[in-house]
PDB file of all heavy atoms in Angstrom:
ATOM      1  N   ASP N 181      55.788  73.613  66.446  1.00  0.00           N
ATOM      2  CA  ASP N 181      56.348  74.967  66.400  1.00  0.00           C
ATOM      3  C   ASP N 181      56.493  75.581  67.788  1.00  0.00           C
ATOM      4  O   ASP N 181      57.092  76.645  67.937  1.00  0.00           O
ATOM      5  CB  ASP N 181      55.471  75.856  65.517  1.00  0.00           C
ATOM      6  CG  ASP N 181      54.048  75.977  66.052  1.00  0.00           C
ATOM      7  OD1 ASP N 181      53.579  75.026  66.708  1.00  0.00           O
ATOM      8  OD2 ASP N 181      53.405  77.019  65.817  1.00  0.00           O
ATOM      9  N   LYS N 182      55.955  74.932  68.807  1.00  0.00           N
ATOM     10  CA  LYS N 182      56.007  75.482  70.165  1.00  0.00           C
ATOM     11  C   LYS N 182      56.988  74.729  71.053  1.00  0.00           C
ATOM     12  O   LYS N 182      57.244  75.133  72.186  1.00  0.00           O
ATOM     13  CB  LYS N 182      54.615  75.436  70.794  1.00  0.00           C
ATOM     14  CG  LYS N 182      53.543  76.185  70.007  1.00  0.00           C
ATOM     15  CD  LYS N 182      52.186  76.036  70.655  1.00  0.00           C
ATOM     16  CE  LYS N 182      51.113  76.796  69.869  1.00  0.00           C
ATOM     17  NZ  LYS N 182      50.928  76.244  68.511  1.00  0.00           N
ATOM     18  N   LEU N 183      57.541  73.626  70.554  1.00  0.00           N
ATOM     19  CA  LEU N 183      58.395  72.789  71.397  1.00  0.00           C
ATOM     20  C   LEU N 183      59.669  73.495  71.844  1.00  0.00           C
ATOM     21  O   LEU N 183      60.147  73.279  72.955  1.00  0.00           O
ATOM     22  CB  LEU N 183      58.747  71.497  70.651  1.00  0.00           C
ATOM     23  CG  LEU N 183      57.611  70.480  70.514  1.00  0.00           C
ATOM     24  CD1 LEU N 183      58.085  69.255  69.753  1.00  0.00           C
ATOM     25  CD2 LEU N 183      57.084  70.070  71.887  1.00  0.00           C
ATOM     26  N   ASP N 184      60.225  74.327  70.976  1.00  0.00           N
ATOM     27  CA  ASP N 184      61.449  75.041  71.353  1.00  0.00           C
ATOM     28  C   ASP N 184      61.204  75.937  72.567  1.00  0.00           C
ATOM     29  O   ASP N 184      62.003  75.955  73.511  1.00  0.00           O
ATOM     30  CB  ASP N 184      61.946  75.894  70.175  1.00  0.00           C
ATOM     31  CG  ASP N 184      62.665  75.058  69.136  1.00  0.00           C
ATOM     32  OD1 ASP N 184      63.072  73.931  69.474  1.00  0.00           O
ATOM     33  OD2 ASP N 184      62.805  75.523  68.001  1.00  0.00           O
ATOM     34  N   ALA N 185      60.091  76.660  72.543  1.00  0.00           N
ATOM     35  CA  ALA N 185      59.771  77.557  73.657  1.00  0.00           C
ATOM     36  C   ALA N 185      59.496  76.765  74.933  1.00  0.00           C
ATOM     37  O   ALA N 185      59.950  77.126  76.031  1.00  0.00           O
ATOM     38  CB  ALA N 185      58.558  78.424  73.300  1.00  0.00           C
ATOM     39  N   ILE N 186      58.745  75.652  74.809  1.00  0.00           N
ATOM     40  CA  ILE N 186      58.436  74.822  75.974  1.00  0.00           C
ATOM     41  C   ILE N 186      59.710  74.210  76.552  1.00  0.00           C
ATOM     42  O   ILE N 186      59.924  74.199  77.761  1.00  0.00           O
ATOM     43  CB  ILE N 186      57.437  73.708  75.588  1.00  0.00           C
ATOM     44  CG1 ILE N 186      56.093  74.327  75.183  1.00  0.00           C
ATOM     45  CG2 ILE N 186      57.247  72.729  76.742  1.00  0.00           C
ATOM     46  CD1 ILE N 186      55.103  73.314  74.639  1.00  0.00           C
ATOM     47  N   SER N 187      60.561  73.702  75.656  1.00  0.00           N
ATOM     48  CA  SER N 187      61.816  73.093  76.097  1.00  0.00           C
ATOM     49  C   SER N 187      62.690  74.115  76.816  1.00  0.00           C
ATOM     50  O   SER N 187      63.308  73.799  77.844  1.00  0.00           O
ATOM     51  CB  SER N 187      62.559  72.513  74.890  1.00  0.00           C
ATOM     52  OG  SER N 187      63.804  71.994  75.268  1.00  0.00           O
ATOM     53  N   TYR N 188      62.742  75.336  76.298  1.00  0.00           N
ATOM     54  CA  TYR N 188      63.579  76.373  76.915  1.00  0.00           C
ATOM     55  C   TYR N 188      63.063  76.739  78.308  1.00  0.00           C
ATOM     56  O   TYR N 188      63.842  76.935  79.242  1.00  0.00           O
ATOM     57  CB  TYR N 188      63.621  77.621  76.039  1.00  0.00           C
ATOM     58  CG  TYR N 188      64.564  78.676  76.567  1.00  0.00           C
ATOM     59  CD1 TYR N 188      65.930  78.592  76.348  1.00  0.00           C
ATOM     60  CD2 TYR N 188      64.068  79.749  77.305  1.00  0.00           C
ATOM     61  CE1 TYR N 188      66.799  79.552  76.852  1.00  0.00           C
ATOM     62  CE2 TYR N 188      64.922  80.716  77.817  1.00  0.00           C
ATOM     63  CZ  TYR N 188      66.288  80.608  77.587  1.00  0.00           C
ATOM     64  OH  TYR N 188      67.133  81.565  78.098  1.00  0.00           O
ATOM     65  N   LYS N 189      61.741  76.808  78.468  1.00  0.00           N
ATOM     66  CA  LYS N 189      61.163  77.146  79.775  1.00  0.00           C
ATOM     67  C   LYS N 189      61.452  76.060  80.805  1.00  0.00           C
ATOM     68  O   LYS N 189      61.665  76.342  81.989  1.00  0.00           O
ATOM     69  CB  LYS N 189      59.656  77.348  79.636  1.00  0.00           C
ATOM     70  CG  LYS N 189      59.283  78.654  78.929  1.00  0.00           C
ATOM     71  CD  LYS N 189      57.776  78.836  78.904  1.00  0.00           C
ATOM     72  CE  LYS N 189      57.411  80.169  78.232  1.00  0.00           C
ATOM     73  NZ  LYS N 189      55.938  80.382  78.185  1.00  0.00           N
ATOM     74  N   LEU N 190      61.443  74.794  80.342  1.00  0.00           N
ATOM     75  CA  LEU N 190      61.675  73.688  81.265  1.00  0.00           C
ATOM     76  C   LEU N 190      63.151  73.546  81.638  1.00  0.00           C
ATOM     77  O   LEU N 190      63.478  73.184  82.774  1.00  0.00           O
ATOM     78  CB  LEU N 190      61.190  72.377  80.638  1.00  0.00           C
ATOM     79  CG  LEU N 190      59.678  72.196  80.509  1.00  0.00           C
ATOM     80  CD1 LEU N 190      59.364  70.921  79.735  1.00  0.00           C
ATOM     81  CD2 LEU N 190      59.017  72.146  81.881  1.00  0.00           C
ATOM     82  N   THR N 191      64.021  73.817  80.689  1.00  0.00           N
ATOM     83  CA  THR N 191      65.447  73.556  80.906  1.00  0.00           C
ATOM     84  C   THR N 191      66.308  74.808  81.038  1.00  0.00           C
ATOM     85  O   THR N 191      67.499  74.697  81.328  1.00  0.00           O
ATOM     86  CB  THR N 191      65.994  72.719  79.735  1.00  0.00           C
ATOM     87  OG1 THR N 191      65.916  73.506  78.524  1.00  0.00           O
ATOM     88  CG2 THR N 191      65.194  71.441  79.553  1.00  0.00           C
ATOM     89  N   LYS N 192      65.714  75.965  80.771  1.00  0.00           N
ATOM     90  CA  LYS N 192      66.470  77.227  80.817  1.00  0.00           C
ATOM     91  C   LYS N 192      67.662  77.205  79.860  1.00  0.00           C
ATOM     92  O   LYS N 192      68.717  77.784  80.143  1.00  0.00           O
ATOM     93  CB  LYS N 192      66.953  77.528  82.236  1.00  0.00           C
ATOM     94  CG  LYS N 192      65.843  77.574  83.283  1.00  0.00           C
ATOM     95  CD  LYS N 192      64.807  78.637  82.971  1.00  0.00           C
ATOM     96  CE  LYS N 192      63.733  78.690  84.053  1.00  0.00           C
ATOM     97  NZ  LYS N 192      62.669  79.672  83.727  1.00  0.00           N
ATOM     98  N   GLY N 193      67.485  76.497  78.760  1.00  0.00           N
ATOM     99  CA  GLY N 193      68.546  76.443  77.761  1.00  0.00           C
ATOM    100  C   GLY N 193      69.588  75.370  77.980  1.00  0.00           C
ATOM    101  O   GLY N 193      70.495  75.209  77.164  1.00  0.00           O
ATOM    102  N   ASP N 194      69.482  74.610  79.074  1.00  0.00           N
ATOM    103  CA  ASP N 194      70.452  73.558  79.360  1.00  0.00           C
ATOM    104  C   ASP N 194      69.997  72.266  78.689  1.00  0.00           C
ATOM    105  O   ASP N 194      69.071  71.583  79.161  1.00  0.00           O
ATOM    106  CB  ASP N 194      70.562  73.352  80.871  1.00  0.00           C
ATOM    107  CG  ASP N 194      71.694  72.404  81.239  1.00  0.00           C
ATOM    108  OD1 ASP N 194      72.227  71.735  80.342  1.00  0.00           O
ATOM    109  OD2 ASP N 194      72.036  72.334  82.440  1.00  0.00           O
ATOM    110  N   THR N 195      70.635  71.892  77.590  1.00  0.00           N
ATOM    111  CA  THR N 195      70.219  70.713  76.838  1.00  0.00           C
ATOM    112  C   THR N 195      70.437  69.416  77.607  1.00  0.00           C
ATOM    113  O   THR N 195      69.769  68.411  77.331  1.00  0.00           O
ATOM    114  CB  THR N 195      70.982  70.621  75.497  1.00  0.00           C
ATOM    115  OG1 THR N 195      72.392  70.641  75.759  1.00  0.00           O
ATOM    116  CG2 THR N 195      70.634  71.804  74.594  1.00  0.00           C
ATOM    117  N   SER N 196      71.358  69.423  78.551  1.00  0.00           N
ATOM    118  CA  SER N 196      71.598  68.196  79.326  1.00  0.00           C
ATOM    119  C   SER N 196      70.373  67.836  80.165  1.00  0.00           C
ATOM    120  O   SER N 196      70.084  66.659  80.394  1.00  0.00           O
ATOM    121  CB  SER N 196      72.814  68.366  80.233  1.00  0.00           C
ATOM    122  OG  SER N 196      72.605  69.413  81.176  1.00  0.00           O
ATOM    123  N   ILE N 197      69.622  68.851  80.610  1.00  0.00           N
ATOM    124  CA  ILE N 197      68.409  68.591  81.389  1.00  0.00           C
ATOM    125  C   ILE N 197      67.359  67.907  80.516  1.00  0.00           C
ATOM    126  O   ILE N 197      66.639  67.010  80.962  1.00  0.00           O
ATOM    127  CB  ILE N 197      67.852  69.901  81.980  1.00  0.00           C
ATOM    128  CG1 ILE N 197      68.853  70.500  82.960  1.00  0.00           C
ATOM    129  CG2 ILE N 197      66.512  69.660  82.667  1.00  0.00           C
ATOM    130  CD1 ILE N 197      68.410  71.810  83.577  1.00  0.00           C
ATOM    131  N   THR N 198      67.274  68.330  79.267  1.00  0.00           N
ATOM    132  CA  THR N 198      66.332  67.702  78.341  1.00  0.00           C
ATOM    133  C   THR N 198      66.631  66.218  78.197  1.00  0.00           C
ATOM    134  O   THR N 198      65.724  65.379  78.189  1.00  0.00           O
ATOM    135  CB  THR N 198      66.424  68.367  76.955  1.00  0.00           C
ATOM    136  OG1 THR N 198      66.200  69.771  77.076  1.00  0.00           O
ATOM    137  CG2 THR N 198      65.390  67.781  76.007  1.00  0.00           C
ATOM    138  N   SER N 199      67.907  65.884  78.098  1.00  0.00           N
ATOM    139  CA  SER N 199      68.302  64.485  77.980  1.00  0.00           C
ATOM    140  C   SER N 199      67.922  63.695  79.230  1.00  0.00           C
ATOM    141  O   SER N 199      67.413  62.570  79.142  1.00  0.00           O
ATOM    142  CB  SER N 199      69.811  64.379  77.740  1.00  0.00           C
ATOM    143  OG  SER N 199      70.185  65.035  76.559  1.00  0.00           O
ATOM    144  N   VAL N 200      68.142  64.302  80.392  1.00  0.00           N
ATOM    145  CA  VAL N 200      67.820  63.632  81.655  1.00  0.00           C
ATOM    146  C   VAL N 200      66.320  63.378  81.768  1.00  0.00           C
ATOM    147  O   VAL N 200      65.884  62.281  82.158  1.00  0.00           O
ATOM    148  CB  VAL N 200      68.314  64.466  82.850  1.00  0.00           C
ATOM    149  CG1 VAL N 200      67.777  63.892  84.166  1.00  0.00           C
ATOM    150  CG2 VAL N 200      69.827  64.522  82.877  1.00  0.00           C
ATOM    151  N   ILE N 201      65.510  64.380  81.411  1.00  0.00           N
ATOM    152  CA  ILE N 201      64.058  64.228  81.476  1.00  0.00           C
ATOM    153  C   ILE N 201      63.585  63.122  80.528  1.00  0.00           C
ATOM    154  O   ILE N 201      62.764  62.270  80.892  1.00  0.00           O
ATOM    155  CB  ILE N 201      63.362  65.563  81.126  1.00  0.00           C
ATOM    156  CG1 ILE N 201      63.653  66.606  82.206  1.00  0.00           C
ATOM    157  CG2 ILE N 201      61.850  65.357  80.971  1.00  0.00           C
ATOM    158  CD1 ILE N 201      63.135  67.991  81.868  1.00  0.00           C
ATOM    159  N   SER N 202      64.112  63.122  79.317  1.00  0.00           N
ATOM    160  CA  SER N 202      63.698  62.129  78.321  1.00  0.00           C
ATOM    161  C   SER N 202      64.079  60.720  78.758  1.00  0.00           C
ATOM    162  O   SER N 202      63.257  59.794  78.704  1.00  0.00           O
ATOM    163  CB  SER N 202      64.338  62.443  76.967  1.00  0.00           C
ATOM    164  OG  SER N 202      63.957  63.719  76.500  1.00  0.00           O
ATOM    165  N   VAL N 203      65.318  60.554  79.196  1.00  0.00           N
ATOM    166  CA  VAL N 203      65.787  59.229  79.605  1.00  0.00           C
ATOM    167  C   VAL N 203      65.043  58.753  80.852  1.00  0.00           C
ATOM    168  O   VAL N 203      64.661  57.576  80.953  1.00  0.00           O
ATOM    169  CB  VAL N 203      67.310  59.257  79.868  1.00  0.00           C
ATOM    170  CG1 VAL N 203      67.769  57.944  80.492  1.00  0.00           C
ATOM    171  CG2 VAL N 203      68.061  59.519  78.575  1.00  0.00           C
ATOM    172  N   SER N 204      64.802  59.657  81.801  1.00  0.00           N
ATOM    173  CA  SER N 204      64.102  59.279  83.035  1.00  0.00           C
ATOM    174  C   SER N 204      62.683  58.807  82.731  1.00  0.00           C
ATOM    175  O   SER N 204      62.212  57.801  83.277  1.00  0.00           O
ATOM    176  CB  SER N 204      64.063  60.461  84.004  1.00  0.00           C
ATOM    177  OG  SER N 204      65.366  60.855  84.365  1.00  0.00           O
ATOM    178  N   GLY N 205      61.993  59.547  81.869  1.00  0.00           N
ATOM    179  CA  GLY N 205      60.628  59.158  81.503  1.00  0.00           C
ATOM    180  C   GLY N 205      60.598  57.809  80.817  1.00  0.00           C
ATOM    181  O   GLY N 205      59.749  56.952  81.127  1.00  0.00           O
ATOM    182  N   MET N 206      61.531  57.581  79.902  1.00  0.00           N
ATOM    183  CA  MET N 206      61.578  56.309  79.187  1.00  0.00           C
ATOM    184  C   MET N 206      61.924  55.156  80.121  1.00  0.00           C
ATOM    185  O   MET N 206      61.331  54.070  80.044  1.00  0.00           O
ATOM    186  CB  MET N 206      62.594  56.399  78.050  1.00  0.00           C
ATOM    187  CG  MET N 206      62.643  55.162  77.166  1.00  0.00           C
ATOM    188  SD  MET N 206      61.077  54.848  76.320  1.00  0.00           S
ATOM    189  CE  MET N 206      61.043  56.242  75.177  1.00  0.00           C
ATOM    190  N   CYS N 207      62.877  55.381  81.027  1.00  0.00           N
ATOM    191  CA  CYS N 207      63.253  54.331  81.973  1.00  0.00           C
ATOM    192  C   CYS N 207      62.088  53.961  82.890  1.00  0.00           C
ATOM    193  O   CYS N 207      61.851  52.779  83.169  1.00  0.00           O
ATOM    194  CB  CYS N 207      64.451  54.779  82.824  1.00  0.00           C
ATOM    195  SG  CYS N 207      66.018  54.808  81.929  1.00  0.00           S
ATOM    196  N   GLY N 208      61.359  54.974  83.346  1.00  0.00           N
ATOM    197  CA  GLY N 208      60.207  54.715  84.207  1.00  0.00           C
ATOM    198  C   GLY N 208      59.137  53.915  83.493  1.00  0.00           C
ATOM    199  O   GLY N 208      58.611  52.925  84.034  1.00  0.00           O
ATOM    200  N   ALA N 209      58.805  54.323  82.273  1.00  0.00           N
ATOM    201  CA  ALA N 209      57.759  53.632  81.513  1.00  0.00           C
ATOM    202  C   ALA N 209      58.156  52.209  81.168  1.00  0.00           C
ATOM    203  O   ALA N 209      57.396  51.254  81.382  1.00  0.00           O
ATOM    204  CB  ALA N 209      57.440  54.426  80.235  1.00  0.00           C
ATOM    205  N   MET N 210      59.375  52.043  80.636  1.00  0.00           N
ATOM    206  CA  MET N 210      59.826  50.712  80.243  1.00  0.00           C
ATOM    207  C   MET N 210      60.061  49.814  81.456  1.00  0.00           C
ATOM    208  O   MET N 210      59.817  48.606  81.405  1.00  0.00           O
ATOM    209  CB  MET N 210      61.107  50.819  79.415  1.00  0.00           C
ATOM    210  CG  MET N 210      60.938  51.484  78.060  1.00  0.00           C
ATOM    211  SD  MET N 210      59.771  50.623  76.969  1.00  0.00           S
ATOM    212  CE  MET N 210      58.346  51.742  77.041  1.00  0.00           C
ATOM    213  N   GLY N 211      60.538  50.411  82.567  1.00  0.00           N
ATOM    214  CA  GLY N 211      60.731  49.634  83.783  1.00  0.00           C
ATOM    215  C   GLY N 211      59.417  49.095  84.316  1.00  0.00           C
ATOM    216  O   GLY N 211      59.325  47.922  84.721  1.00  0.00           O
ATOM    217  N   TYR N 212      58.391  49.940  84.315  1.00  0.00           N
ATOM    218  CA  TYR N 212      57.059  49.494  84.764  1.00  0.00           C
ATOM    219  C   TYR N 212      56.545  48.355  83.904  1.00  0.00           C
ATOM    220  O   TYR N 212      56.040  47.340  84.395  1.00  0.00           O
ATOM    221  CB  TYR N 212      56.082  50.664  84.728  1.00  0.00           C
ATOM    222  CG  TYR N 212      54.642  50.243  84.895  1.00  0.00           C
ATOM    223  CD1 TYR N 212      54.132  49.931  86.158  1.00  0.00           C
ATOM    224  CD2 TYR N 212      53.796  50.141  83.794  1.00  0.00           C
ATOM    225  CE1 TYR N 212      52.819  49.527  86.314  1.00  0.00           C
ATOM    226  CE2 TYR N 212      52.482  49.743  83.935  1.00  0.00           C
ATOM    227  CZ  TYR N 212      51.993  49.439  85.203  1.00  0.00           C
ATOM    228  OH  TYR N 212      50.690  49.034  85.337  1.00  0.00           O
ATOM    229  N   LEU N 213      56.664  48.496  82.585  1.00  0.00           N
ATOM    230  CA  LEU N 213      56.176  47.467  81.672  1.00  0.00           C
ATOM    231  C   LEU N 213      56.957  46.162  81.832  1.00  0.00           C
ATOM    232  O   LEU N 213      56.382  45.071  81.796  1.00  0.00           O
ATOM    233  CB  LEU N 213      56.274  47.966  80.230  1.00  0.00           C
ATOM    234  CG  LEU N 213      55.333  49.121  79.876  1.00  0.00           C
ATOM    235  CD1 LEU N 213      55.652  49.654  78.481  1.00  0.00           C
ATOM    236  CD2 LEU N 213      53.880  48.666  79.941  1.00  0.00           C
ATOM    237  N   ALA N 214      58.284  46.279  82.012  1.00  0.00           N
ATOM    238  CA  ALA N 214      59.107  45.077  82.162  1.00  0.00           C
ATOM    239  C   ALA N 214      58.723  44.314  83.427  1.00  0.00           C
ATOM    240  O   ALA N 214      58.537  43.092  83.400  1.00  0.00           O
ATOM    241  CB  ALA N 214      60.581  45.455  82.198  1.00  0.00           C
ATOM    242  N   VAL N 215      58.579  45.036  84.536  1.00  0.00           N
ATOM    243  CA  VAL N 215      58.253  44.379  85.806  1.00  0.00           C
ATOM    244  C   VAL N 215      56.850  43.788  85.782  1.00  0.00           C
ATOM    245  O   VAL N 215      56.625  42.645  86.213  1.00  0.00           O
ATOM    246  CB  VAL N 215      58.387  45.383  86.976  1.00  0.00           C
ATOM    247  CG1 VAL N 215      57.869  44.763  88.272  1.00  0.00           C
ATOM    248  CG2 VAL N 215      59.838  45.800  87.145  1.00  0.00           C
ATOM    249  N   SER N 216      55.880  44.536  85.255  1.00  0.00           N
ATOM    250  CA  SER N 216      54.494  44.054  85.231  1.00  0.00           C
ATOM    251  C   SER N 216      54.347  42.813  84.355  1.00  0.00           C
ATOM    252  O   SER N 216      53.529  41.931  84.647  1.00  0.00           O
ATOM    253  CB  SER N 216      53.551  45.159  84.736  1.00  0.00           C
ATOM    254  OG  SER N 216      53.870  45.543  83.413  1.00  0.00           O
TER     255      SER N 216
END
């Protein structure tokens, strides 16, 4: 119930930023696991 407020504070309502954050985090995690 708090994710909408947290997401808005992080992105200022710009949904494209949310996508960038999500994809960047996933790429970093999966990239580390793949290389290791």
Side-chain angles (χ1 to χ4, degrees):
D181 61 331
K182 302 177 180 64
L183 287 180
D184 282 342
I186 295 173
S187 176
Y188 185 80
K189 287 184 178 180
L190 289 174
T191 65
K192 304 300 182 183
D194 188 347
T195 55
S196 62
I197 297 179
T198 304
S199 300
V200 171
I201 293 174
S202 300
V203 172
S204 299
M206 185 62 69
C207 287
M210 293 300 106
Y212 168 78
L213 292 172
V215 172
S216 62

